[in-house]
Amino acid sequence: MSTIAEMFSLQGKVALVTGASKGIGEAMAYTFGKAGAQVVVSSRKQEAVEAVARKFKSVGLKQTIGIACNVGKAAEIEALVSKTIEHFGRIDIIVNNAGTNPVYSPMMEMEESAYDKIMDVNLKGAWLLTKAAHPHLKASGQGCVINIASIEGLSPSPNLGAYSISKAGMVMLTKVLARELGEDHIRVNAICPGYIRTKLSEMVWQDKALLREVMHKQCMNYEANPEDLSGLALMLAAGTGKFLTGAIITADGGYTV
């Protein structure tokens, strides 16, 4: 029987995390590294991912590299996978965390270009990265994909229509890929965060009235940080999650109850 440490170990595995220069992605990448994984920190800007990699290395996570990638561009996704394989030789875990929401407006007032950008980054990019990494996840024999969706993909809020649509698509993408990739021993699950203190949701934390409303709707009077999702991601990535696939896990302090 495995020890607790063994159950949560990622020793010998390679984890690739997008949107990892800050927030949820950075917290998950750090936790994976602490659990023994070799980690690829990815985001749009090379200087940003290199800064995170240096920070990780300074606390002992030597097997960390930063590779820039705009997941809205297919060619950059292919390059990200190729560079990861060139450096580490394998991919066992990917976290599709990169996301954007450049507008806050009703759907009828949204520009087509903004809609396309949201879909390309939040949804299409997750599909393309999983597709590009698929041969390596299959070769792993225990591949794992973690998609970061949102409670907005379960129930929309005003002025976040396109973002909500993209995250609802992420939920269904998770279920479709879980069904299709199961025979390749690849598990695909999604986490739907609620209101977490990140740059993407900073409008909530800057608006005291809105923050009070959020706290009132949550079952827990608790302001969550990115680190609060890391343990859940580790559980999904490690041996503890080996029978979980197609799961859509809400982590929102009870906001949607």
Side-chain angles (χ1 to χ4, degrees):
M1 186 175 292
S2 299
T3 65
I4 295 298
E6 289 169 341
M7 289 171 64
F8 285 94
S9 174
L10 297 181
Q11 198 69 40
K13 295 186 177 182
V14 174
L16 193 169
V17 185
T18 67
S21 62
K22 56 185 179 295
I24 292 171
E26 180 182 355
M28 289 182 178
Y30 177 78
T31 297
F32 289 172
K34 292 294 285 185
Q38 298 169 301
V39 178
V40 177
V41 174
S42 185
S43 193
R44 288 187 305 114
K45 297 180 179 179
Q46 186 64 34
E47 59 269 28
V49 295
E50 286 180 355
V52 173
R54 285 196 299 271
K55 181 166 66 173
F56 285 10
K57 289 177 180 178
S58 72
V59 294
L61 305 183
K62 302 301 183 183
Q63 293 297 308
T64 305
I65 61 168
I67 304 175
C69 174
N70 180 345
V71 298
K73 299 183 182 296
E76 293 194 25
I77 288 174
E78 293 288 347
L80 171 62
V81 171
S82 295
K83 290 176 183 177
T84 299
I85 295 301
E86 181 181 337
H87 192 87
F88 286 129
R90 60 187 294 156
I91 299 174
D92 302 278
I93 302 158
I94 61 172
V95 179
N96 287 308
N97 171 68
T100 188
N101 185 43
V103 294
Y104 184 72
S105 71
M107 291 292 293
M108 297 302 99
E109 298 176 12
M110 180 178 293
E111 296 293 333
E112 182 180 1
S113 58
Y115 181 90
D116 288 344
K117 180 177 180 179
I118 291 170
M119 294 302 156
D120 284 349
V121 173
N122 294 6
L123 182 56
K124 186 177 178 181
W127 165 58
L128 287 175
L129 178 54
T130 305
K131 183 180 179 183
H134 173 245
H136 310 290
L137 294 169
K138 182 177 179 180
S140 164
Q142 48 189 348
C144 172
V145 178
I146 301 173
N147 292 327
I148 306 304
S150 170
I151 58 170
E152 293 298 330
L154 306 176
S155 180
S157 297
N159 299 317
L160 291 174
Y163 180 80
S164 295
I165 292 167
S166 72
K167 293 304 184 177
M170 184 74 102
V171 168
M172 186 51 66
L173 177 67
T174 299
K175 293 182 178 183
V176 169
L177 293 180
R179 174 66 65 185
E180 292 189 358
L181 303 183
E183 64 182 18
D184 294 332
H185 303 287
I186 299 170
R187 297 179 295 106
V188 187
N189 296 290
I191 298 173
C192 292
Y195 289 92
I196 312 293
R197 277 191 174 273
T198 65
K199 184 176 181 180
L200 197 64
S201 63
E202 63 185 353
M203 64 179 181
V204 175
W205 313 106
Q206 294 173 354
D207 186 328
K208 292 185 178 180
L210 183 54
L211 179 57
R212 282 196 300 269
E213 181 181 341
V214 168
M215 291 297 107
H216 178 72
K217 290 186 70 174
Q218 287 184 182
C219 297
M220 301 170 63
N221 184 23
Y222 176 69
E223 298 178 19
N225 293 300
E227 293 77 10
D228 295 319
L229 297 179
S230 295
L232 176 55
L234 177 59
M235 182 273 289
L236 291 173
T240 45
K242 63 183 176 183
F243 195 53
L244 273 174
T245 196
I248 311 300
I249 303 173
T250 302
D252 66 351
Y255 186 90
T256 53
V257 170

